[in-house]
Amino acid sequence: MKVPVMMLGSVPELHGYIDKSQLTEDLGGTLDYCHSKWLCHRTAIESFALMVKQTAQMLQTFGTELAETELPNDVQSTSLVLSVHTEKKAKAKDDLQLALKEGNSILESLREPLAESTSHSVNQDQLDNQATVQRLLAQLNETEAAFDEFWAKHQQKLEQCLQLRHFEQGFREVKTTLDSMSQKIAAFTDVGNSLAHVQHLLKDLTSFEEKSSVAVDRARALSLEGQQLIENKHYAVDSIHPKCEELQHLCDHFASEITRRRALLSKSLELHSLLEMSMKWCDEGIFLLASQPVDKCQSQDGAEAALQEIEKFLETGAENKIQELNKIYKEYECILNQDLLEHVQKVFQKQESTEEMFHRRQASLKKLAAKQTRPVQPVAPRPEALTKSPSPSPGSWRSSENSSSEGSVPRRGPYRRAKSEMSETRQGRSSSTGDEEENLAILRRHVMNELLDTERAYVEELLCVLEGYAAEMDNPLMAHLISTGLQNKKSILFGNMEEIYHFHNRIFLRELESCIDCPELVGRCFLERMEEFQIYEKYCQNKPRSESLWRQCSDCPFFQECQKKLDHKLSLDSYLLKPVQRITKYQLLLKEMLKYSKNCEGAEDLQEALSSILGILKAVNDSMHLIAITGYDGNLSDLGKLLMQGSFSVWTDHKKGHTKVKELARFKPMQRHLFLHEKAVLFCKKREENGEGYEKAPSYSYKQSLNMTAVGITENVKGDAKKFEIWYNAREEVYIIQAPTPEIKAAWVNEIRKVLTSQLQACREASQHRALEQSHSLPLPAQSSTSPTKGSTRNVKKLEDRKTDPLSLEGYVSSSLPKPPEKGKGWSKTSHSLEAPEEDGGWSSAEELINSSDAEEDGGVGSKKLAPGKYTVVMGDEKEGPDTLAMRSGDMVEVVEEGAEGLWYVRDLTSSKEGWVPASSLSTLLGKSSSAQCLSSSDSSPGSAVLSNSSSCSEGCPTPFSELQG
């Protein structure tokens, strides 16, 4: 198709072809149109339409994501989801608001010409643009409203979910706490074994209830919170409602258990109060009976006064004693366990026995209070002549007989009355003896009651300390109150107090209670448990460390808080001293019991128990000194049991040493504290420490020790009854010891003698065992048939005093000594030679050694069995007879033959001379050692001669028979 083209040269020419109304202003027309504006508006509208589309798609995607999100099962995850979704929702809302703002801005620019001139006409394009923008804005508003509605529901669900998770978490925590408390209250079945114990349990229950009230209040608040969620139409009503009911049930159950437990303890408190009143009534009654003097009750007035006291006291029994046992059983059936039942029965038995004692005392007092009315009997008067005539006539005799016969009946009354009075007097004496025995029995029961009461109180105090202090140190809630210096120091502070508590609570207290009816037999309880009492030694050894720790940490808030909870007036250190005080209290109670049980069955057991307890106290005291030794390199336990310890003045006198030092040592004593063990004696220097309490206790610096297997003693030193010698290695080292008193010296000498004797006895047994093993292969040579002892009788002489001067030859050598044995007969010489020990001053004597071993076992010197071997003379003597062997200190002799009258025939190994010596001078066989060690029982004196065993227990045992072959 051909279109004509017109070429115009000016605007007016254009107006010729097109009307001005159809042309824009720049072409001279009147049409309101700007192409650049149209392009700008159209571009903005298309961009806005795209934004609206994208916003709708974004909201659609976000809504789908929210709808498909699963609700978490815990608080943290739910909170995280809610936070993330809220953040995304805020971003979507920001994008939506931005789109709305853009649309409103475009709409305003489209309406701008009309706002400038009301007469301005709007063309169709402008109207279409406005309609498009308005439609898009309406679409955005609808999308926003739908999203807000959806988000509100989603947010509510998330918030409810979070509330539910919080509720569930709280429910789990509260339920766990309530279950734990219910288990504790269910396990809390103890009803107490004494009034103080029940009061302590009630206090614990109250404290437990106060602590648990926080959990109960939280549980009730959580239940109310759950009810509030239900009222707010929570989506999980079916889950919340059962939990609320369970919480309410747990709270009610716990409250009922607390109430039931308090009711049981109140019942127990009531019963124990009744039992305590009954026991107190019995004790007061026993004290009343014991305090009534027997001598004053023999008179009528005294007996009546005593009766009034008893009757007045018995009137108080209606309120203070148990009336009916069956009624008690029925009323307190809910709390009567086996132990409490036995306790009730014992108290009732004690009450009955007390009443029985009162009835017996009443009966005896009523007899004494009865008025002795003597009837006046008519007696015929005697004739005056009868009374004046010294030799009556036969007539007068007849008249006398008549009068006698007439007055026979009345005269019989006074005789019977006198007989009755004598009988009553005897009954009074027997009743007096019976009352004395009864009073002793009452006093024994009084001591036993004191022992039991103090024992129960002691156990309660230990339990209170362990629960109120020791257990609280492990309580996490109290950890912030414990200072750094106190952390992990419980074992130091309390020692083995828990072990002591379990011993007394589970064992010793029950055994003491079994002796309540027979107090005099309580000594057996102590004897049977004497080994267990050794635990106190461990506690006392730890006491200085405990005391030191307490001094460092006594201001700790932990102790103040515990003391406040326990309502103690005294601080912890007073209670930590209780075990030390208790172990010393037993010996006082045993002394009292022994004083009232002299003629009873268990008196010997009581005496032995008292000695054993005193021994434990001594061991505890010794151990406290022993742990204060410093500077000893070895292990003190390797030295054996500590036997004695004490302070002494010590002089030294050694053979090997500087002469000047030896001389000075004799005049300047050293102050040493000696510790005697089974295997060694320790010399220490005592050093006083500054401080308070246990810190003031002295310490001991170790100086030296002597092995007991190489020690000898001389019991008496001339010039001082308080001195004795301890010498070492055959007197190479001599220590002169001065005790504070002769009694202390005697105790130490006796103890050292026991140690050395036991060592010697061990050597003998070992040698005898070896001899028996070898006797089958190497028999002893036969004794000569021409022995001088054949057919003779022995004169056995016993040593009655073992601590007198050594025996001399004078008392044993008779005028006609037995003939010496023939040459070549008797025992042959040993196959080895021994050196005689060096003895300068003759300090030692073997008398005590002989007396404490062979003489005691064989019954005396004369009955001592003949034994081959070599012996040492420790003190010389002058020759008394032709066949008597003169001896010097240190001579070696060999026994050849046994003679009569307690004499033995010996051969001097140095001079080969032979002669008779007292058998009492000989000790045991000589071993292979050359050291002369013995015990000394007296001063060395000239003119006396005894033989001492020269063997050392540490260096050799006696020579066996097999080594004595010729």
Side-chain angles (χ1 to χ4, degrees), residues 82 135 835 854:
L82 181 60
R135 179 175 54 82
E835 295 178 3
D854 293 8

Side-chain angles (χ1 to χ4, degrees), residues 62-238:
F62 182 53
T64 303
E65 180 185 350
L66 295 181
E68 293 178 352
T69 301
E70 294 184 0
L71 298 177
N73 293 323
D74 59 280
V75 173
Q76 185 176 1
S77 300
T78 306
S79 299
L80 181 62
V81 169
L82 181 60
S83 175
V84 170
H85 286 188
T86 303
E87 187 176 345
K88 287 184 178 181
K89 175 255 180 184
K91 185 175 182 303
K93 287 285 288 184
D94 290 342
D95 293 343
L96 187 62
Q97 292 298 325
L98 184 63
L100 286 172
K101 185 178 180 181
E102 181 69 19
N104 289 325
S105 175
I106 294 173
L107 185 62
E108 286 179 2
S109 65
L110 291 174
R111 292 176 178 176
E112 185 177 356
L114 185 63
E116 291 177 357
S117 174
T118 56
S119 61
H120 180 75
S121 60
V122 181
N123 57 30
Q124 189 62 37
D125 288 336
Q126 291 177 339
L127 292 175
D128 291 341
N129 288 338
Q130 289 182 10
T132 302
V133 173
Q134 289 176 347
R135 179 175 54 82
L136 289 174
L137 286 173
Q139 185 179 349
L140 275 179
N141 288 328
E142 289 177 359
T143 303
E144 182 182 16
F147 176 75
D148 288 342
E149 182 180 358
F150 173 78
W151 171 252
K153 293 180 179 179
H154 181 73
Q155 185 181 22
Q156 181 184 12
K157 190 172 184 180
L158 282 179
E159 289 176 349
Q160 287 183 347
C161 178
L162 184 60
Q163 292 172 349
L164 178 63
R165 299 300 177 246
H166 277 294
F167 176 78
E168 289 175 343
Q169 181 177 349
F171 173 78
R172 286 192 297 269
E173 293 174 355
V174 169
K175 186 176 183 301
T176 302
T177 305
L178 290 177
D179 288 342
S180 175
M181 293 191 304
S182 298
Q183 290 176 0
K184 288 181 180 179
I185 199 68
F188 199 30
T189 58
D190 192 3
V191 293
N193 52 21
S194 66
L195 184 62
H197 191 194
V198 177
Q199 291 173 344
H200 183 70
L201 291 176
L202 275 170
K203 189 181 293 184
D204 287 347
L205 181 64
T206 304
S207 175
F208 177 73
E209 186 179 12
E210 290 176 356
K211 291 179 181 178
S212 60
S213 63
V214 178
V216 173
D217 293 343
R218 185 185 174 192
R220 296 191 184 279
L222 193 62
S223 178
L224 291 176
E225 183 181 337
Q227 294 294 337
Q228 189 68 35
L229 291 177
I230 294 174
E231 291 177 2
N232 292 336
K233 298 180 180 180
H234 196 281
Y235 72 88
V237 174
D238 295 339

Side-chain angles (χ1 to χ4, degrees), residues 702-800:
Y702 168 77
K703 294 299 181 183
Q704 64 187 115
S705 63
L706 304 178
N707 195 330
M708 289 302 294
T709 56
V711 162
I713 63 168
T714 304
E715 294 189 15
N716 296 316
V717 176
K718 291 182 179 180
D720 195 339
K722 296 183 292 185
K723 288 183 180 179
F724 64 98
E725 284 186 350
I726 297 179
W727 40 271
Y728 196 62
N729 284 340
R731 301 185 67 83
E732 286 185 0
E733 301 177 16
V734 179
Y735 301 89
I736 303 173
I737 313 295
Q738 185 182 43
T741 63
E743 292 77 13
I744 294 177
K745 169 209 164 180
W748 273 73
V749 167
N750 289 337
E751 200 64 40
I752 295 174
R753 186 192 304 117
K754 289 178 184 178
V755 174
L756 299 182
T757 304
S758 63
Q759 292 177 354
L760 186 59
Q761 186 65 27
C763 288
R764 284 180 179 169
E765 292 174 357
S767 65
Q768 290 172 5
H769 181 68
R770 287 169 53 195
L772 289 175
E773 289 179 350
Q774 299 178 10
S775 61
H776 298 287
S777 58
L778 298 173
L780 284 173
Q783 190 175 346
S784 172
S785 60
T786 59
S787 170
T789 62
K790 188 175 182 180
S792 64
T793 59
R794 301 180 183 177
N795 182 15
V796 180
K797 296 184 179 180
K798 296 183 178 179
L799 299 176
E800 296 178 357

Side-chain angles (χ1 to χ4, degrees), residues 655 709-714 727-734 756 835-840 842-846 849 871-875 889-892 926-936 947-955:
K655 289 184 178 180
T709 56
V711 162
I713 63 168
T714 304
W727 40 271
Y728 196 62
N729 284 340
R731 301 185 67 83
E732 286 185 0
E733 301 177 16
V734 179
L756 299 182
E835 295 178 3
E838 296 180 2
E839 292 289 344
D840 295 334
W843 288 94
S844 300
S845 167
L849 181 59
Y871 298 82
T872 304
V873 180
V874 293
M875 284 179 285
S889 175
D891 286 350
M892 300 289 292
L926 177 66
K928 297 179 181 180
S929 173
S930 62
S931 62
Q933 297 186 25
C934 62
L935 303 175
S936 172
L947 298 178
S948 170
N949 173 25
S950 62
S951 64
S952 169
C953 297
S954 64
E955 299 174 16

Side-chain angles (χ1 to χ4, degrees), residues 565-602:
K565 286 183 179 180
L566 295 171
D567 196 21
H568 282 177
K569 295 181 180 179
L570 299 176
S571 55
L572 175 61
D573 59 327
S574 300
Y575 291 90
L576 293 177
L577 198 60
K578 293 291 182 181
V580 180
Q581 295 172 339
R582 187 60 183 168
I583 192 65
T584 56
K585 176 74 172 177
Y586 285 129
Q587 53 107 2
L588 300 176
L589 294 171
L590 285 173
K591 284 179 181 177
E592 285 294 310
M593 184 66 77
L594 184 61
K595 184 168 68 174
Y596 305 132
S597 309
K598 293 294 185 182
N599 300 322
C600 295
E601 178 186 352

Side-chain angles (χ1 to χ4, degrees), residues 46 246 267 341 470 570 587 598 678 741 777 812 866 889:
E46 289 179 357
E246 187 173 357
K267 274 285 185 184
L341 183 63
L570 299 176
Q587 53 107 2
K598 293 294 185 182
E678 291 176 326
T741 63
S777 58
Y812 288 90
L866 187 62
S889 175

Side-chain angles (χ1 to χ4, degrees), residues 413-426:
Y415 170 74
R416 288 180 177 174
R417 183 168 63 251
K419 188 175 181 180
S420 173
E421 289 175 1
M422 290 174 64
S423 174
E424 288 177 0
T425 303
R426 291 194 188 112

